[in-house]
Amino acid sequence: MLKSYSVTDIGRKRQLNQDYVFSSGNPIGNMPNLFIVADGMGGHKAGDYASKCTVETMIREIRSSFEKNPVRILSKAIRVA
C-alpha cells in the first residue's frame, strides 16, 4: 500500500505561497497514481491562480484520456495546461 502526503513551503522571499500540489496514491484515469507540483511564478501577479489552474487542467486531461502510455498521457496534459 502506497502512502503519501504533500506539502509546500512559502520560502524566504515571498508573502504568498504560489505553489500548488496534487498527490494521489490511487488511480487517476489510466495512471496508477499521480503526483504533480506546479511551482509558483516568483511573485508574479496571479501566480497562485496559474499554478492551481495548471494542476487542475492536467488532472482533468489525465482523467479523460483513453491513452495507455503514461508518457503520452502526461505529455498531452502538459501541452493542454
Side-chain angles (χ1 to χ4, degrees), residues 15-71:
Q15 294 181 357
L16 175 68
N17 189 350
Q18 294 184 341
D19 301 341
Y20 197 84
V21 298
F22 175 84
S23 62
S24 176
N26 296 319
I28 303 292
N30 287 328
M31 300 292 288
N33 52 50
L34 185 62
F35 304 90
I36 303 173
V37 176
D39 192 27
M41 297 179 56
H44 290 284
K45 290 183 181 178
D48 53 336
Y49 172 77
S51 297
K52 181 179 180 182
C53 183
T54 297
V55 172
E56 289 176 350
T57 301
M58 289 185 66
I59 293 167
R60 186 174 56 249
E61 287 297 313
I62 291 165
R63 278 195 175 117
S64 66
S65 177
F66 293 106
E67 179 65 58
K68 300 289 185 196
N69 182 308
V71 172

